[in-house]
Structures are given as structure tokens and as C-alpha cells.
Amino acid sequence: MLLLSDDQTRDALPFPDLIDALADMFRSGCVMPTRHHHDMEIPGEPDGTMLLMPAWVPGGYAGVKVATVVPGNAERNLPAVSAQYLLSDARTGEMLALVDGGELTARRTAAASALAARYLARADARHLLVLGTGRLAPNLIAAHMAVRPIEEVTIWGRSKEKASELARDLEQRFPISVRPADTLKDALGKADIVSAATLSTEPLISGKHLKPGAHVDLVGAFKPSMRESDDDLIKRAEIYVDTRDGCLSEGGDIVQPLKTGLISPQDIQADLYELCRGEHPGRQSDEAVTMFKSVGAALEDLAGAILAYRNVEH
């Protein structure tokens, strides 16, 4: 059985190939039972979350990810997400690979955002604003650079010091301008794409501050109690999701406006299945504000694990 470290997993999942692998899996589909989602009490700090995410292609590959999300790890300078992915042969049950789940999760999450941006961000989108200074930030930048001509990146974080430090680091890694945000309001008004990867429970992105044609990518807020967007954005935007089942029950940016009656399930324009299958064209006009909410799907992990296994094995 292959054992893939975080470095090996990252090298086996180049973003152009990973984005295409996700698109192929959303087009063809797979069996994806409802994931197990358990709160884990951690004394003296916010609860953690344990996730079990199975999926399989009948007669092809099967896999399950075991992940924990611990918000308190930020204070320990540890990643919020820890995970492993076990890939098997779906015909024989043979265990094929143990893939580093943290790297797989970070890259497939960013790839799903970039896949959505293919359909929802303007073709000339050049300025990316990233909210959050964690592991996902550099992945979101690299993934969006694979699908749009990004020339400028702005980083916003609750800690200006962390945002400045990350911006300096990323400018060494990417051949583009990377700067910390002066203020979030100002940054929101300039960005072509806004990508948020936070654990916020209060809205950060105000719809009234966005310029026409902006695309908003909401990656964090994976629980009903969390939220990154405000009601103004929900009312203004064309709304898209990774999967309807997941976002209608888990993502606070969709669940909360549904509860208050601000939107109905019919206000969701399309999910990634419909976009990738050509059942919906995506962005309707250059002036529209588009919003994509993702909560993650086991399908994405399976597609990534298969790609990593094939790239290493061959």
C-alpha cells in the first residue's frame, strides 16, 4: 500500500489536473452517502468537529476520509484541519493508498473554488482578495491562478500582523503582487474575486461594498452557526453551491438566510453537478455579482485521492 506524505500528496496534485479531475467526477458522479459530522468537546476552547466522509465509484475506487477540525489550533500554531484518506479498490476491497488528508483537503477545496470560478468569475478577473491567513490561503491563490489571469492578490486577516507576514511570504512564492489589506471595506470594493476561508460566526463580506461583476467564493463557515456573507450579499448575488444537499443543511451562509425566509431553495441557481454537466451556463452577465458557497463533498476527496494514487503509481 502506498503511503503518501504531505509533500508527496501536494506534488501529485497539480492544480490544473486536479481541477479537471473534479470536473470529470462531478460530470460522471459517484456514490456519496451522507457524511458523519460529530461535535467533539475540547475543555476550555471551542468544540472541534470530527468528519467521516465515504464515497465510491462502483467497480472502480472507494475511499473514506477521517478529518478533525479544531479552531483552537490557531493559538497553538497548528493547522485547524488534520486528516487522512484511505483509498481502496472498490471491486476487491484491497487497500491501495493512505493519502495525507490535510494536503488533500486543502488542495481539493481550493480546486473546487477554482472550478466554480471557471463558470462564475469574469474571464478578465485579475485582482483576488483572500480572507483568512491559514493553510487554505496559498492554495486558493494558486488554484485561482490556474483558471484566471490573476495579477494582484490582497490578504485580509483579523490579525494585521499575520496578514502582513503571509503577504511577504507569498510574494516570494508567486510571480505576482501580494499585499495585506488596509481595510476590508476598501479591499472588497477593488477585488474581482473575493475568496473567504475563515471560521467566522459573524458576516465579514458586505454585499454593498462589492463592485459590479465581482465573484464571491465562500469556503469557510461549514457549520449552520457560522457565516461569512451578510444579507445584502445574499440579496444581491446569483447564488451557486458545490452540492445542494450539503449547503442546504450545513453551510451557515445558506442555512441562515433560508431560516429567516430571505431566500428559498429555488434561489440557488445551480450546483457543480449542473455547471459541469452543462445544465446551467453559470454567470449571466458581466455586471452580475456571483456567489459560490462550498461545504466540501466526499466526491472531491475521492477524485483527488485517485489522481494522487495514479500520479505516484505511474
Side-chain angles (χ1 to χ4, degrees):
M1 183 171 76
L2 286 177
L3 299 176
L4 301 188
S5 68
D6 53 354
D7 286 344
Q8 289 171 314
T9 300
R10 180 175 61 250
D11 292 345
L13 295 174
F15 276 114
D17 294 348
L18 181 55
I19 294 164
D20 287 344
L22 262 59
D24 289 343
M25 189 66 87
F26 272 107
R27 273 192 288 270
S28 61
C30 68
V31 181
M32 190 168 60
T34 302
R35 65 181 172 187
H36 297 253
H37 192 285
H38 304 284
D39 288 336
M40 283 196 318
E41 302 82 2
I42 302 177
E45 62 185 82
D47 287 353
T49 306
M50 179 179 286
L51 299 165
L52 305 175
M53 301 173 66
W56 60 89
V57 175
Y61 294 94
V64 61
K65 184 171 77 176
V66 180
T68 54
V69 183
V70 180
N73 275 354
E75 300 301 317
R76 292 182 276 266
N77 287 319
L78 292 171
V81 179
S82 300
Q84 292 292 339
Y85 195 92
L86 183 61
L87 182 70
S88 306
D89 185 312
R91 187 176 296 278
T92 66
E94 178 191 1
M95 306 297 180
L96 300 174
L98 188 65
V99 181
D100 182 80
E103 197 64 35
L104 173 63
T105 301
R107 293 185 80 79
R108 67 80 156 148
T109 301
S113 291
L115 176 59
R118 270 187 182 170
Y119 298 97
L120 304 178
R122 284 175 52 134
D124 60 355
R126 288 179 166 78
H127 186 175
L128 171 66
L129 167 63
V130 176
L131 280 67
T133 56
R135 182 178 197 166
L136 266 173
N139 286 287
L140 287 164
I141 294 169
H144 280 96
M145 286 177 68
V147 297
R148 286 296 182 266
I150 303 299
E151 296 172 350
E152 183 179 358
V153 174
T154 302
I155 304 286
W156 179 88
R158 293 190 190 280
S159 164
K160 282 195 171 183
E161 187 180 337
K162 274 190 179 178
S164 297
E165 186 181 328
L166 179 62
R168 284 193 298 271
D169 174 51
L170 294 178
E171 194 158 49
Q172 303 299 313
R173 294 165 57 180
F174 292 107
I176 54 173
S177 167
V178 186
R179 297 283 184 271
D182 292 325
T183 67
L184 182 54
K185 178 181 175 181
D186 181 57
L188 286 170
K190 294 177 179 176
D192 299 316
I193 300 174
V194 179
S195 189
T198 74
L199 298 174
S200 182
T201 55
E202 298 294 331
L204 296 170
I205 301 170
S206 176
K208 68 182 180 184
H209 294 146
L210 298 165
K211 69 181 186 181
H215 170 57
V216 179
D217 168 48
L218 302 175
V219 180
F222 62 91
K223 288 184 179 180
S225 59
M226 297 173 170
R227 192 160 179 193
E228 294 177 313
S229 62
D230 71 353
D231 283 353
D232 284 340
L233 175 55
I234 296 296
K235 287 187 284 190
R236 184 180 179 189
E238 295 174 2
I239 301 172
Y240 300 84
V241 297
D242 58 351
T243 65
R244 290 178 188 270
D245 288 349
C247 286
L248 287 170
S249 62
E250 294 179 34
D253 291 286
I254 302 295
V255 171
Q256 291 183 33
L258 281 172
K259 276 189 177 174
T260 62
L262 187 65
I263 59 170
S264 71
Q266 290 69 41
D267 288 314
I268 295 174
Q269 300 284 321
D271 60 17
L272 282 178
Y273 290 106
E274 293 161 308
L275 290 171
C276 292
R277 292 169 181 174
E279 296 168 8
H280 191 286
R283 169 175 285 274
Q284 304 294 295
S285 73
D286 279 350
E287 298 301 300
V289 170
T290 54
M291 183 189 111
F292 173 69
K293 174 60 192 159
S294 64
V295 293
L299 172 155
E300 299 162 4
D301 293 306
L302 179 61
I306 293 168
L307 177 64
Y309 172 70
R310 286 175 172 168
N311 279 344
V312 172
E313 186 71 2
H314 303 298

